[in-house]
Amino acid sequence: MDMKTFEDSKFVLHRTKFFILITLQIPAIIISLLIFAFFIKHRTTLNALQNQALLILLIVTFVELVADLPMPINYYYLGYVSPATPSYCNWWTFFEYSIHLISELLMATISIQRHALIFSPNIFQSRLNLYVLYYAPLAICVTYPFIFYFIIILIAPCDGTQWDFTSNMCGYANCYLLYDKFLGMFDWAANNGSPVVVIMLANLALVIRVIRHKRRQQGGYSWKKQRRMTVQLVLISSLYLFAWLPSLTIGVTQIMNSPIFLANIQTDYTLDFMYLISLLSPWIYIKLLPDFKRWILKKVRRDELTRNTVRPT
């Protein structure tokens, strides 16, 4: 494709997305860095297992903010993929699919583990259970997507003629999505669909269990702690459900029924919802970490006092 004569038929839409992404990306990066600084200054905060899981999620979303989002931002600024090469499209889709799936699998695993943290916290007092039931599942969530997409995207690519350099993510034209119905369905339904179902059901079950437990306990400190941990999970998981459900519904329908089903809606809008996870989750973490808010307020007040202090001459 001759980029010199290329005209962006969706210039307004692309520039709007560019400014939205840039506007949300910069503060998200700043907040993420502040949260990292908070964890470094307050290492004891990581003694709570739920905070360790949140830190892992934050690291994944931060990697997306600084390493993955610049690629769609560059596309929406130019209106075309640059560099327009098959190798770049292979790398872009491999990296973005992996990061998105890692984040989704982590959220599903955390949703299940939160039940144990709230109702059976003693189960993790055993070192064996801690590594087998807590850390090992999180490690699998991080490694499996890279291995899976490395095999089906980088090891066995097509000849490269299928890519669309005028569309975001090169038209999502990976070989397995175009020519292998089984792999395409497995990726959409099993890899991406089942974690969404787990997130939805696990959170619904958690809310029901906490409400029932509250009625039995009639308040108390344990209820306040359970409520706080439940609210944490529901807030962050709601973002995942909003980001994934529309595109998953359309994607599975396209593979099972018609490839053109809501195709324009999918490529122009719903697939971009996934970027909201990394862009908005740092703001949610502020709500999830009350000590972080107090730390920031204390530093701001200290700086104000320093500036306003009148020194004698």
Side-chain angles (χ1 to χ4, degrees):
M1 182 180 67
D2 186 1
M3 297 304 179
K4 294 181 180 179
T5 60
F6 170 76
E7 291 185 7
D8 188 0
S9 60
K10 299 179 180 178
F11 177 81
V12 175
L13 177 63
H14 288 166
R15 279 305 169 92
T16 301
K17 290 183 179 182
F18 167 77
F19 285 115
I20 290 175
L21 291 177
I22 283 289
T23 303
L24 294 176
Q25 182 197 32
I26 295 173
I29 291 175
I30 295 173
I31 294 173
S32 299
L33 291 174
L34 287 174
I35 296 176
F36 288 142
F38 167 77
F39 279 124
I40 293 173
K41 293 284 187 178
H42 303 80
R43 303 258 179 112
T44 56
T45 307
L46 291 176
N47 292 336
L49 290 178
Q50 65 269 20
N51 289 339
Q52 294 178 20
L54 287 178
L55 177 60
I56 295 172
L57 263 181
L58 182 62
I59 292 173
V60 173
T61 55
F62 183 75
V63 170
E64 182 175 357
L65 283 172
V66 299
D68 176 60
L69 263 178
M71 290 186 280
I73 287 175
N74 181 60
Y75 163 76
Y76 286 129
Y77 178 76
L78 297 174
Y80 57 85
V81 176
S82 178
T85 62
S87 58
Y88 177 72
C89 293
N90 282 323
W91 161 251
W92 184 2
T93 52
F94 160 74
F95 189 70
E96 183 157 314
Y97 291 177
S98 298
I99 290 294
H100 284 170
L101 183 55
I102 288 172
S103 180
E104 193 184 7
L105 290 175
L106 283 172
M107 190 69 250
T109 302
I110 291 170
S111 298
I112 296 173
Q113 291 177 338
R114 189 59 58 97
H115 283 260
L117 288 172
I118 292 177
F119 297 103
S120 304
N122 293 333
I123 194 174
F124 294 120
Q125 290 183 351
S126 164
R127 184 177 294 272
L128 178 63
N129 287 344
L130 180 63
Y131 282 97
V132 172
L133 300 179
Y134 191 80
Y135 292 124
L138 296 177
I140 292 172
C141 291
V142 175
T143 55
Y144 164 73
F146 281 124
I147 296 173
F148 177 79
Y149 289 119
F150 179 81
I151 293 173
I152 68 171
I153 293 179
L154 299 184
I155 294 296
C158 297
D159 57 8
T161 58
Q162 83 281 6
W163 297 113
D164 180 5
F165 300 123
T166 65
S167 297
N168 187 33
M169 295 269 302
C170 306
Y172 299 85
N174 299 89
C175 294
Y176 76 97
L177 291 176
L178 294 177
Y179 307 121
D180 193 324
K181 192 171 184 178
F182 172 78
L183 263 181
M185 175 56 67
F186 177 82
D187 191 33
W188 273 105
N191 278 343
N192 297 302
S194 57
V196 169
V197 174
V198 169
I199 293 170
M200 189 162 45
L201 294 180
N203 281 272
L204 179 61
L206 183 63
V207 171
I208 294 173
R209 291 184 69 183
V210 168
I211 292 174
R212 288 180 176 176
H213 186 72
K214 177 191 175 184
R215 290 175 179 174
R216 291 196 300 267
Q217 297 293 326
Q218 294 299 320
Y221 171 77
S222 65
W223 153 243
K224 291 181 180 179
K225 183 178 180 181
Q226 291 167 355
R227 182 179 61 183
R228 184 173 65 250
M229 293 176 68
T230 303
V231 170
Q232 286 181 352
L233 187 63
V234 170
L235 280 174
I236 190 69
S237 60
S238 297
L239 179 59
Y240 280 77
L241 294 176
F242 174 79
W244 276 98
L245 276 176
S247 60
L248 277 173
T249 303
I250 296 174
V252 172
T253 304
Q254 287 176 339
I255 293 176
M256 293 293 294
N257 187 19
S258 172
I260 62 172
F261 175 73
L262 297 180
N264 291 334
I265 299 297
Q266 180 82 311
T267 55
D268 290 341
Y269 299 102
T270 58
L271 286 171
D272 290 327
F273 289 175
M274 298 177 194
Y275 298 133
L276 294 177
I277 294 174
S278 60
L279 292 168
L280 299 181
S281 57
W283 294 94
I284 297 178
Y285 292 147
I286 296 177
K287 174 68 176 176
L288 307 186
L289 297 168
D291 291 338
F292 171 75
K293 291 186 291 184
R294 287 191 287 267
W295 177 65
I296 291 295
L297 288 174
K298 186 182 296 185
K299 289 187 70 66
V300 170
R301 289 169 183 167
R302 186 183 303 163
D303 291 342
E304 288 179 351
L305 286 173
T306 302
R307 287 196 301 269
N308 296 330
T309 299
V310 178
R311 294 183 174 86
T313 58

